[in-house]
């Protein structure tokens, strides 16, 4: 079941991500409209027990997506217990019984949803954990009372823990330990976030997952899972009043608890430049990957807006700067990308990465990237490319509303990352106000290769390695 | 007072370190004797409350050194509270009152000791915190009852906390933040110990020291300071029976407590090679510094013995391999050193570092070091250099017993690092048994630059920087 879950949620996240990252051609026409009114026209209210409820009405098809977002994730784990947030997400499917909300046997949750023609899943990030069901709107009450039932009514059988731990260790083996690229990612994150929980993988370190037990899971659940630490989002063929009634009948009967204040340890200042080198036989071309720490939308909404436009200008498809320069013109990279995810509680990560063409080195790709960054900082961006980048971004917003699950997903990760619903709704208009000067300013402030002291970033170099030969990372290091 | 304390303890530690690291010429003659009997002939017993007591009789001069070693250090701090162990060490001088052991006003502890012609100090490491007094033997009872009195009877005035925090922040500014070499050290440790407390500086991260308060200090004290988590060592002009009587009268009246099991988070496997680069105007020559994670004496006593001999062969003064090769012959380094400190609870660190001669790069020094390591691994060590290295080490042991404070220091850091007194006493004989093959084996296992996957180590490069110019670490990085 786990593999199914993982696969499904991966697809789902991919889909939602697609909403905010690809440009549907037809959207160009409707652009004007999109930059004037709200993105989702979502309605929100809060129950007496502190549960925030958000409703996005969409009556195009008779289905709803229900999502519950808990404001807790891997970054809220205690030291040495890495992986408990994700481990616990799995355990939420292991049986529940809450007075007035019915009983569900271990493993029956998803079966019930599917027997009603729906599908369900869950996923864990550093800052939040989300559970969702997409189903015919007439079954909303059923899934809502099931979802509410496991908010405080989980009945976790001790004997299931060992089996689930095995499942998760296997998941980690498959997704990370057998994939040098994923291992490389972990090493970069670890170097980019010293003394900060973002340096610890969401799934957890293998040796710490091995030590997780029933007591850890139960303590984590009791501490963080409560109505006043969650957001309920219902999107689709339903009215605000219907959702209010159902929410009060189900989630409404669960009392609020004392939720601890989120305290995250902080990294010391970056006074040195760290780099990470890895070599592996499965790697065929050299890869350069740099990760910067930049403000999240919660930390600095204005700068995060400028960074989103910057991302689109540098990496918005075939006409974007990096692709044109490194892939089309210089032909030193087979792929190139710059990505910025503004929705995190603490620092966000801006990643720029390229795969070297055969015969070129990762260091050569790095130089070419730095040239583009210097040009951006020195000459800024043109009005034309700025306008086009904004248009593409705004078109994504228009596209985002044309689905049932999309709005729930977008509103979920933005709100649980500390961004207000107003900011989400006015996103296209806010994007419109970003100036060329602002884009140049954030580039100069965060991405300058000539910065007198290193801004918080880490350089990563991934090299091929002949399986049998002595060629190793440390050889590469000596090659400097 | 703090500056005085710091300076004094630094000198003291230096002196004790000297005992085990320099060769007094006259010692060569007494070598035979040294390799036959015990190093210190220490006697040990344990009080009913769990306090271990060690006595080293030395009646050459009418003085004693008393040390109390607590089995708690910076690595036992909770995440986000870095620096509390060292902070608390300062607070142990801020006044005490324990029934039957008298009262001491804030700041009076050291004054009293000095008024009796003695001196006192304290120091904190990752694994232990030690307090000591050196004084005329007739005053032993006074200082022992004072030392016992603050084991559980500390009366910490809230109003002193802010002032002491300022003192410690100033200490950190002076010793680390104003010293690029010390900052460089911190960065290397942080990279070498991801997800492990040894990656956090003993003095603490500046921003976390700022947050330490009275509650943190009191909780730390109550948790860790107790007779069953300490070792009392008395060395000098006193008999075992005298110490037993005094110890029972003083420390003996303090009840044992429940001491938490030491739980240290562990690093994930090293699958990539990390390097740290720093540039600073005060740096005049380039420096290369590599730190390896190798077994501590507690983890693998046999390998740690071989590593101690290896250290002496590679860096035992003017005739040692690294100095001869890099400084005398190749003339590419102005200084070179390899050091291994076997006495830590978790992994120990083996450091090899060199300062480039004017006109040479850190990378050049790295290559030359790797050449020496390859030669060591390929050809092993000669019988002659092995014999000489052992002689020098054994001579240090003989020298170590010829002082009052030395034995207390050596026994303290070995025992509190999980090494048995028997192993300390038989150290010279144990060194004698180390074979050339064993030395070659640990070199191949831990220091091989050609290792197919990186063994746990980090490379550090420290560069000069023109104050005004744009030359920065990141430029250096691009220079690769």
């Amino acid at each position: 079941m786990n593999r199914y879950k993982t696969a499904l949620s991966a697809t789902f996240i991919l889909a939602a991500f697609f909403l905010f990252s690809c440009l549907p051609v037809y959207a160009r026409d409707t652009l004007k409209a999109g930059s004037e009114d709200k993105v989702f026209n979502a309605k929100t209210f809060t129950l007496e027990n502190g549960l925030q409820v958000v409703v996005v009405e969409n009556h195009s098809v008779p289905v709803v997506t229900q999502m519950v977002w808990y404001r807790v994730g891997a970054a809220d784990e205690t030291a040495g217990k890495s992986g408990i947030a994700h481990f616990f997400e799995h355990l939420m499917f292991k049986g529940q019984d809450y007075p007035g909300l019915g009983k569900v046997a271990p493993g029956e949750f998803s079966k019930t949803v599917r027997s009603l023609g729906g599908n369900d899943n869950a996923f864990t990030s550093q800052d939040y954990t989300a559970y969702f069901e997409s189903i015919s709107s007439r079954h909303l009450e059923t899934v809502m009372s099931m979802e509410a039932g496991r908010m405080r009514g989980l009945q976790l059988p001790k004997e299931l823990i060992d089996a689930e731990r095995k499942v998760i260790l296997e998941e980690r083996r498959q997704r990370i330990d057998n994939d040098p690229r994923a291992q490389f990612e972990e090493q970069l994150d670890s170097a980019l976030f010293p003394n900060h929980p973002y340096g610890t993988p969401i799934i957890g370190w293998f040796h710490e997952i091995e030590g997780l037990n029933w007591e850890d899971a139960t303590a984590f659940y009791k501490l963080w899972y409560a109505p006043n630490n969650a957001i309920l989002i219902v999107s689709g063929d339903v009215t605000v009043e219907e959702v209010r009634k159902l929410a009060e009948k189900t989630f409404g009967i669960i009392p609020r608890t004392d939720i601890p204040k989120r305290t995250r340890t902080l990294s010391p200042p970056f006074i040195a430049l760290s780099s990470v080198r890895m070599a592996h036989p499965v790697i065929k071309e050299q890869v350069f990957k740099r990760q910067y720490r930049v403000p999240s939308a919660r930390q600095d909404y204005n700068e995060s807006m400028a960074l989103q436009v910057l991302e689109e200008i540098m990496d918005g498809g075939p006409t974007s700067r990096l692709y044109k320069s490194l892939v089309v013109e210089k032909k030193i990279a087979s792929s190139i990308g710059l990505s910025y995810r503004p929705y995190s509680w603490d620092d966000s990560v801006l990643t720029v990465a390229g795969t070297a063409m055969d015969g070129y080195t990762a260091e050569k790709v790095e130089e070419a990237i730095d040239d583009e960054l210097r040009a951006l900082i020195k000459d800024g961006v043109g009005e034309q490319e700025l306008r086009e980048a904004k248009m593409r971004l705004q078109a994504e917003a228009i596209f985002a509303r044309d689905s049932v699950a999309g709005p729930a997903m977008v509103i979920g990760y933005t709100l649980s990352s500390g961004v207000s619903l107003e900011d989400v709704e006015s996103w296209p208009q806010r994007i419109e106000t970003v100036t060329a000067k602002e884009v140049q300013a954030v580039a100069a402030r965060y991405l300058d290769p000539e910065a007198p002291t290193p801004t918080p970033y880490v350089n990563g170099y991934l090299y091929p390695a002949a399986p049998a030969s002595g060629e190793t990372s440390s050889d590469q290091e000596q090659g400097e």
Side-chain angles (χ1 to χ4, degrees), chain A:
Chain A
M1 166 190 177
N2 170 64
R3 212 143 319 154
Y4 167 77
K5 273 182 58 197
T6 312
L8 182 61
S9 85
T11 329
F12 186 87
I13 293 163
L14 210 65
F17 165 69
F18 179 87
L19 293 175
F20 257 27
S21 65
C22 292
L23 167 68
V25 178
Y26 68 81
R28 292 183 187 278
D29 321 326
T30 48
L31 206 53
K32 277 273 152 296
S35 52
E36 277 150 18
D37 52 345
K38 296 176 164 189
V39 177
F40 300 116
N41 295 304
K43 307 285 174 292
T44 183
F45 55 89
T46 302
L47 300 186
E48 278 180 11
N49 61 12
L51 178 73
Q52 181 181 6
V53 184
V54 180
V55 183
V56 180
E57 293 194 27
N58 176 344
H59 304 288
S60 55
V61 279
V63 300
V64 290
T65 293
Q66 163 180 270
M67 300 190 90
V68 175
W69 295 72
Y70 291 94
R71 292 194 190 86
V72 61
D76 301 302
E77 296 161 343
T78 49
K81 300 290 181 185
S82 65
I84 191 64
H86 168 256
F87 191 178
F88 184 76
E89 172 218 313
H90 282 229
L91 299 177
M92 279 284 274
F93 295 81
K94 299 307 181 188
Q96 61 196 65
D97 184 7
Y98 192 93
L101 295 172
K103 196 166 172 169
V104 181
E108 287 304 311
F109 195 104
S110 301
K111 281 190 197 139
T112 310
V113 174
R114 283 197 290 280
S115 71
L116 299 171
N119 64 64
D120 72 317
N121 211 330
F123 49 87
T124 306
S125 88
Q126 291 285 8
D127 299 314
Y128 50 74
T129 313
Y131 302 82
F132 67 89
E133 301 81 30
S134 289
I135 197 160
S136 157
S137 19
R138 71 180 189 281
H139 295 309
L140 178 57
E141 177 163 9
T142 312
V143 292
M144 194 180 288
S145 100
M146 281 170 66
E147 196 55 79
R150 62 179 171 177
M151 178 176 267
R152 295 295 290 181
L154 196 67
Q155 305 293 323
L156 201 50
K158 275 206 169 76
E159 63 275 15
L160 291 181
I161 294 288
D162 292 352
E164 200 57 34
R165 193 190 302 104
K166 283 200 189 69
V167 166
I168 286 170
L169 288 170
E170 180 55 27
E171 182 182 348
R172 183 181 157 98
R173 261 187 222 98
Q174 290 197 0
R175 284 168 45 187
I176 296 171
D177 301 324
N178 293 336
D179 176 359
R181 286 174 193 80
Q183 291 181 303
F184 183 57
E185 291 293 329
E186 271 194 354
Q187 298 292 316
L188 280 172
D189 289 339
S190 174
L192 187 62
F193 287 98
N195 200 56
H196 187 286
Y198 288 178
T200 304
I202 292 166
I203 195 168
W205 298 118
F206 195 96
H207 66 280
E208 291 186 346
I209 298 171
E210 284 177 314
L212 298 176
N213 55 41
W214 186 89
E215 289 70 20
D216 298 327
T218 311
F220 187 81
Y221 178 57
K222 290 213 174 96
L223 194 62
W224 294 107
Y225 278 64
N228 47 319
N229 198 40
I231 308 167
L232 167 67
I233 305 172
V234 182
S235 169
D237 186 19
V238 65
T239 68
V240 176
E241 277 323 303
E242 287 166 331
V243 172
R244 188 193 300 272
K245 270 197 221 71
L246 293 179
E248 273 162 1
K249 261 177 72 179
T250 55
F251 289 99
I253 69 175
I254 303 167
R256 68 166 63 227
T257 66
D258 288 337
I259 299 296
K261 195 180 168 310
R262 267 184 164 170
T263 51
R264 302 275 177 86
T265 53
L266 302 176
S267 293
F270 272 59
I271 54 167
L273 180 65
S274 297
S275 52
V276 170
R277 286 177 162 69
M278 239 183 87
H280 197 285
V282 310
I283 302 302
K284 295 311 167 205
E285 287 95 19
Q286 298 195 11
V287 174
F288 170 72
K289 183 167 208 139
R290 179 184 296 159
Q291 292 192 328
Y292 294 89
R293 285 173 68 158
V294 297
S296 62
R298 170 177 168 268
Q299 291 172 328
D300 190 320
Y301 198 68
N302 292 342
E303 285 193 331
S304 103
M305 281 292 147
L307 284 164
Q308 289 172 62
V309 174
L310 182 150
E311 175 193 28
E312 190 63 28
I313 287 169
M314 297 300 278
D315 178 18
T319 65
S320 64
R321 288 190 175 200
L322 288 170
Y323 187 85
K324 253 167 48 195
S325 164
L326 278 77
V327 178
V328 179
E329 287 157 21
K330 294 180 180 164
K331 297 185 171 51
I332 64 174
S334 56
S335 75
I336 184 75
L338 183 150
S339 73
Y340 164 61
R341 298 278 149 266
Y343 302 111
S344 52
W345 191 259
D346 296 325
D347 288 3
S348 279
V349 175
L350 186 146
T351 303
V352 55
T355 304
M357 286 287 268
D358 209 5
Y360 287 96
T361 64
E363 288 75 7
K364 184 73 187 164
V365 172
E366 176 181 18
E367 280 173 40
I369 288 171
D370 283 339
D371 290 341
E372 288 305 316
L373 293 176
R374 288 193 196 90
L376 175 66
I377 291 162
K378 184 168 166 299
D379 311 324
V381 301
E383 279 312 320
Q384 172 68 9
E385 63 181 340
L386 179 67
R387 203 173 317 111
E388 285 172 9
K390 289 181 185 178
M391 276 177 56
R392 289 196 301 270
L393 287 169
Q394 291 162 334
E396 294 169 13
I398 294 160
F399 185 59
R401 80 172 59 146
D402 296 339
S403 97
V404 172
M409 186 73 185
V410 173
I411 292 170
Y413 64 65
T414 47
L415 265 55
S416 54
S417 305
V419 175
S420 73
L421 189 56
E422 296 63 39
D423 285 335
V424 177
E425 294 284 20
S426 62
W427 183 78
Q429 295 87 324
R430 188 65 193 73
I431 285 289
E432 188 60 37
T433 67
V434 173
T435 66
K437 279 261 157 288
E438 288 175 319
V439 174
Q440 189 175 12
V442 288
R445 180 161 183 190
Y446 298 110
L447 311 182
D448 184 1
E450 321 291 356
T453 58
T455 47
Y457 72 85
V458 173
N459 284 331
Y461 306 84
L462 191 53
Y463 304 102
S469 93
E471 182 171 307
T472 67
S473 303
S474 75
D475 284 328
Q476 299 287 1
E477 183 77 354
Q478 291 153 35
E480 282 166 22

PDB file of all heavy atoms in Angstrom, chain A residues 342-361:
ATOM      1  N   PRO A 342       9.046  29.569  -2.827  1.00  0.00           N
ATOM      2  CA  PRO A 342       8.916  30.600  -1.784  1.00  0.00           C
ATOM      3  C   PRO A 342       8.183  30.137  -0.528  1.00  0.00           C
ATOM      4  O   PRO A 342       8.192  30.841   0.475  1.00  0.00           O
ATOM      5  CB  PRO A 342       8.121  31.705  -2.488  1.00  0.00           C
ATOM      6  CG  PRO A 342       7.467  31.077  -3.655  1.00  0.00           C
ATOM      7  CD  PRO A 342       8.168  29.793  -3.969  1.00  0.00           C
ATOM      8  N   TYR A 343       7.551  28.959  -0.577  1.00  0.00           N
ATOM      9  CA  TYR A 343       6.633  28.602   0.505  1.00  0.00           C
ATOM     10  C   TYR A 343       7.253  27.673   1.537  1.00  0.00           C
ATOM     11  O   TYR A 343       7.059  26.459   1.526  1.00  0.00           O
ATOM     12  CB  TYR A 343       5.333  28.049  -0.072  1.00  0.00           C
ATOM     13  CG  TYR A 343       4.704  29.079  -0.992  1.00  0.00           C
ATOM     14  CD1 TYR A 343       4.650  28.889  -2.369  1.00  0.00           C
ATOM     15  CD2 TYR A 343       4.259  30.297  -0.483  1.00  0.00           C
ATOM     16  CE1 TYR A 343       4.131  29.870  -3.201  1.00  0.00           C
ATOM     17  CE2 TYR A 343       3.728  31.281  -1.308  1.00  0.00           C
ATOM     18  CZ  TYR A 343       3.679  31.059  -2.666  1.00  0.00           C
ATOM     19  OH  TYR A 343       3.179  32.044  -3.486  1.00  0.00           O
ATOM     20  N   SER A 344       8.072  28.276   2.419  1.00  0.00           N
ATOM     21  CA  SER A 344       8.602  27.539   3.565  1.00  0.00           C
ATOM     22  C   SER A 344       8.547  28.457   4.787  1.00  0.00           C
ATOM     23  O   SER A 344       8.453  29.682   4.646  1.00  0.00           O
ATOM     24  CB  SER A 344      10.039  27.097   3.296  1.00  0.00           C
ATOM     25  OG  SER A 344      10.823  28.191   2.884  1.00  0.00           O
ATOM     26  N   TRP A 345       8.547  27.869   5.957  1.00  0.00           N
ATOM     27  CA  TRP A 345       8.401  28.629   7.206  1.00  0.00           C
ATOM     28  C   TRP A 345       9.658  29.456   7.474  1.00  0.00           C
ATOM     29  O   TRP A 345       9.585  30.637   7.756  1.00  0.00           O
ATOM     30  CB  TRP A 345       8.140  27.662   8.365  1.00  0.00           C
ATOM     31  CG  TRP A 345       7.714  28.341   9.618  1.00  0.00           C
ATOM     32  CD1 TRP A 345       8.508  28.610  10.711  1.00  0.00           C
ATOM     33  CD2 TRP A 345       6.416  28.861   9.935  1.00  0.00           C
ATOM     34  NE1 TRP A 345       7.764  29.256  11.677  1.00  0.00           N
ATOM     35  CE2 TRP A 345       6.472  29.414  11.221  1.00  0.00           C
ATOM     36  CE3 TRP A 345       5.206  28.898   9.238  1.00  0.00           C
ATOM     37  CZ2 TRP A 345       5.372  30.007  11.841  1.00  0.00           C
ATOM     38  CZ3 TRP A 345       4.104  29.483   9.863  1.00  0.00           C
ATOM     39  CH2 TRP A 345       4.201  30.032  11.133  1.00  0.00           C
ATOM     40  N   ASP A 346      10.823  28.824   7.363  1.00  0.00           N
ATOM     41  CA  ASP A 346      12.097  29.525   7.527  1.00  0.00           C
ATOM     42  C   ASP A 346      12.665  29.835   6.142  1.00  0.00           C
ATOM     43  O   ASP A 346      11.910  29.965   5.194  1.00  0.00           O
ATOM     44  CB  ASP A 346      13.045  28.666   8.362  1.00  0.00           C
ATOM     45  CG  ASP A 346      12.515  28.455   9.783  1.00  0.00           C
ATOM     46  OD1 ASP A 346      11.890  29.377  10.330  1.00  0.00           O
ATOM     47  OD2 ASP A 346      12.699  27.352  10.330  1.00  0.00           O
ATOM     48  N   ASP A 347      13.994  29.925   6.041  1.00  0.00           N
ATOM     49  CA  ASP A 347      14.608  30.274   4.760  1.00  0.00           C
ATOM     50  C   ASP A 347      14.134  29.362   3.626  1.00  0.00           C
ATOM     51  O   ASP A 347      13.955  28.165   3.815  1.00  0.00           O
ATOM     52  CB  ASP A 347      16.130  30.156   4.849  1.00  0.00           C
ATOM     53  CG  ASP A 347      16.740  31.266   5.692  1.00  0.00           C
ATOM     54  OD1 ASP A 347      15.969  32.074   6.247  1.00  0.00           O
ATOM     55  OD2 ASP A 347      17.981  31.304   5.798  1.00  0.00           O
ATOM     56  N   SER A 348      13.955  29.960   2.454  1.00  0.00           N
ATOM     57  CA  SER A 348      13.685  29.176   1.259  1.00  0.00           C
ATOM     58  C   SER A 348      14.992  28.875   0.539  1.00  0.00           C
ATOM     59  O   SER A 348      16.025  29.474   0.824  1.00  0.00           O
ATOM     60  CB  SER A 348      12.748  29.936   0.322  1.00  0.00           C
ATOM     61  OG  SER A 348      11.414  29.804   0.742  1.00  0.00           O
ATOM     62  N   VAL A 349      14.910  27.933  -0.384  1.00  0.00           N
ATOM     63  CA  VAL A 349      16.081  27.537  -1.152  1.00  0.00           C
ATOM     64  C   VAL A 349      15.906  27.942  -2.601  1.00  0.00           C
ATOM     65  O   VAL A 349      14.847  27.699  -3.191  1.00  0.00           O
ATOM     66  CB  VAL A 349      16.315  26.018  -1.063  1.00  0.00           C
ATOM     67  CG1 VAL A 349      17.470  25.596  -1.964  1.00  0.00           C
ATOM     68  CG2 VAL A 349      16.602  25.618   0.381  1.00  0.00           C
ATOM     69  N   LEU A 350      16.895  28.597  -3.150  1.00  0.00           N
ATOM     70  CA  LEU A 350      16.936  28.858  -4.588  1.00  0.00           C
ATOM     71  C   LEU A 350      18.044  27.973  -5.158  1.00  0.00           C
ATOM     72  O   LEU A 350      19.182  28.005  -4.690  1.00  0.00           O
ATOM     73  CB  LEU A 350      17.221  30.329  -4.879  1.00  0.00           C
ATOM     74  CG  LEU A 350      17.156  30.751  -6.352  1.00  0.00           C
ATOM     75  CD1 LEU A 350      16.619  32.172  -6.475  1.00  0.00           C
ATOM     76  CD2 LEU A 350      18.513  30.640  -7.026  1.00  0.00           C
ATOM     77  N   THR A 351      17.677  27.146  -6.116  1.00  0.00           N
ATOM     78  CA  THR A 351      18.624  26.184  -6.681  1.00  0.00           C
ATOM     79  C   THR A 351      18.924  26.521  -8.121  1.00  0.00           C
ATOM     80  O   THR A 351      18.016  26.814  -8.900  1.00  0.00           O
ATOM     81  CB  THR A 351      18.027  24.761  -6.630  1.00  0.00           C
ATOM     82  OG1 THR A 351      17.689  24.460  -5.277  1.00  0.00           O
ATOM     83  CG2 THR A 351      19.030  23.742  -7.149  1.00  0.00           C
ATOM     84  N   VAL A 352      20.189  26.522  -8.484  1.00  0.00           N
ATOM     85  CA  VAL A 352      20.563  26.641  -9.887  1.00  0.00           C
ATOM     86  C   VAL A 352      21.463  25.446 -10.206  1.00  0.00           C
ATOM     87  O   VAL A 352      22.405  25.146  -9.468  1.00  0.00           O
ATOM     88  CB  VAL A 352      21.261  27.988 -10.194  1.00  0.00           C
ATOM     89  CG1 VAL A 352      22.466  28.213  -9.305  1.00  0.00           C
ATOM     90  CG2 VAL A 352      21.603  28.092 -11.662  1.00  0.00           C
ATOM     91  N   ALA A 353      21.101  24.708 -11.228  1.00  0.00           N
ATOM     92  CA  ALA A 353      21.810  23.460 -11.518  1.00  0.00           C
ATOM     93  C   ALA A 353      21.876  23.209 -13.006  1.00  0.00           C
ATOM     94  O   ALA A 353      20.957  23.558 -13.748  1.00  0.00           O
ATOM     95  CB  ALA A 353      21.113  22.294 -10.826  1.00  0.00           C
ATOM     96  N   GLY A 354      22.961  22.617 -13.436  1.00  0.00           N
ATOM     97  CA  GLY A 354      23.130  22.277 -14.843  1.00  0.00           C
ATOM     98  C   GLY A 354      23.875  20.970 -15.015  1.00  0.00           C
ATOM     99  O   GLY A 354      24.754  20.638 -14.219  1.00  0.00           O
ATOM    100  N   THR A 355      23.495  20.222 -16.075  1.00  0.00           N
ATOM    101  CA  THR A 355      24.207  18.995 -16.430  1.00  0.00           C
ATOM    102  C   THR A 355      25.129  19.295 -17.600  1.00  0.00           C
ATOM    103  O   THR A 355      24.683  19.818 -18.625  1.00  0.00           O
ATOM    104  CB  THR A 355      23.206  17.895 -16.832  1.00  0.00           C
ATOM    105  OG1 THR A 355      22.289  17.712 -15.752  1.00  0.00           O
ATOM    106  CG2 THR A 355      23.926  16.588 -17.128  1.00  0.00           C
ATOM    107  N   ALA A 356      26.416  18.992 -17.411  1.00  0.00           N
ATOM    108  CA  ALA A 356      27.410  19.322 -18.440  1.00  0.00           C
ATOM    109  C   ALA A 356      27.224  18.445 -19.669  1.00  0.00           C
ATOM    110  O   ALA A 356      26.913  17.260 -19.550  1.00  0.00           O
ATOM    111  CB  ALA A 356      28.807  19.153 -17.875  1.00  0.00           C
ATOM    112  N   MET A 357      27.394  19.058 -20.856  1.00  0.00           N
ATOM    113  CA  MET A 357      27.435  18.270 -22.083  1.00  0.00           C
ATOM    114  C   MET A 357      28.684  17.411 -22.026  1.00  0.00           C
ATOM    115  O   MET A 357      29.671  17.752 -21.376  1.00  0.00           O
ATOM    116  CB  MET A 357      27.508  19.181 -23.307  1.00  0.00           C
ATOM    117  CG  MET A 357      26.212  19.881 -23.638  1.00  0.00           C
ATOM    118  SD  MET A 357      24.990  18.751 -24.331  1.00  0.00           S
ATOM    119  CE  MET A 357      25.374  18.963 -26.078  1.00  0.00           C
ATOM    120  N   ASP A 358      28.637  16.288 -22.736  1.00  0.00           N
ATOM    121  CA  ASP A 358      29.791  15.403 -22.807  1.00  0.00           C
ATOM    122  C   ASP A 358      31.033  16.226 -23.154  1.00  0.00           C
ATOM    123  O   ASP A 358      31.000  17.059 -24.067  1.00  0.00           O
ATOM    124  CB  ASP A 358      29.540  14.339 -23.886  1.00  0.00           C
ATOM    125  CG  ASP A 358      30.286  13.057 -23.539  1.00  0.00           C
ATOM    126  OD1 ASP A 358      30.881  13.023 -22.438  1.00  0.00           O
ATOM    127  OD2 ASP A 358      30.274  12.119 -24.348  1.00  0.00           O
ATOM    128  N   GLY A 359      32.096  16.042 -22.396  1.00  0.00           N
ATOM    129  CA  GLY A 359      33.328  16.768 -22.684  1.00  0.00           C
ATOM    130  C   GLY A 359      33.479  18.050 -21.897  1.00  0.00           C
ATOM    131  O   GLY A 359      34.541  18.679 -21.898  1.00  0.00           O
ATOM    132  N   TYR A 360      32.421  18.472 -21.200  1.00  0.00           N
ATOM    133  CA  TYR A 360      32.527  19.674 -20.360  1.00  0.00           C
ATOM    134  C   TYR A 360      32.460  19.285 -18.886  1.00  0.00           C
ATOM    135  O   TYR A 360      31.888  18.250 -18.529  1.00  0.00           O
ATOM    136  CB  TYR A 360      31.409  20.666 -20.688  1.00  0.00           C
ATOM    137  CG  TYR A 360      31.610  21.377 -22.009  1.00  0.00           C
ATOM    138  CD1 TYR A 360      31.001  20.905 -23.170  1.00  0.00           C
ATOM    139  CD2 TYR A 360      32.423  22.506 -22.092  1.00  0.00           C
ATOM    140  CE1 TYR A 360      31.184  21.549 -24.389  1.00  0.00           C
ATOM    141  CE2 TYR A 360      32.608  23.153 -23.314  1.00  0.00           C
ATOM    142  CZ  TYR A 360      31.992  22.679 -24.447  1.00  0.00           C
ATOM    143  OH  TYR A 360      32.175  23.309 -25.644  1.00  0.00           O
ATOM    144  N   THR A 361      33.057  20.128 -18.034  1.00  0.00           N
ATOM    145  CA  THR A 361      33.090  19.823 -16.603  1.00  0.00           C
ATOM    146  C   THR A 361      31.988  20.580 -15.855  1.00  0.00           C
ATOM    147  O   THR A 361      31.455  21.581 -16.340  1.00  0.00           O
ATOM    148  CB  THR A 361      34.437  20.262 -15.990  1.00  0.00           C
ATOM    149  OG1 THR A 361      34.520  21.694 -16.100  1.00  0.00           O
ATOM    150  CG2 THR A 361      35.606  19.610 -16.719  1.00  0.00           C
TER     151      THR A 361
END
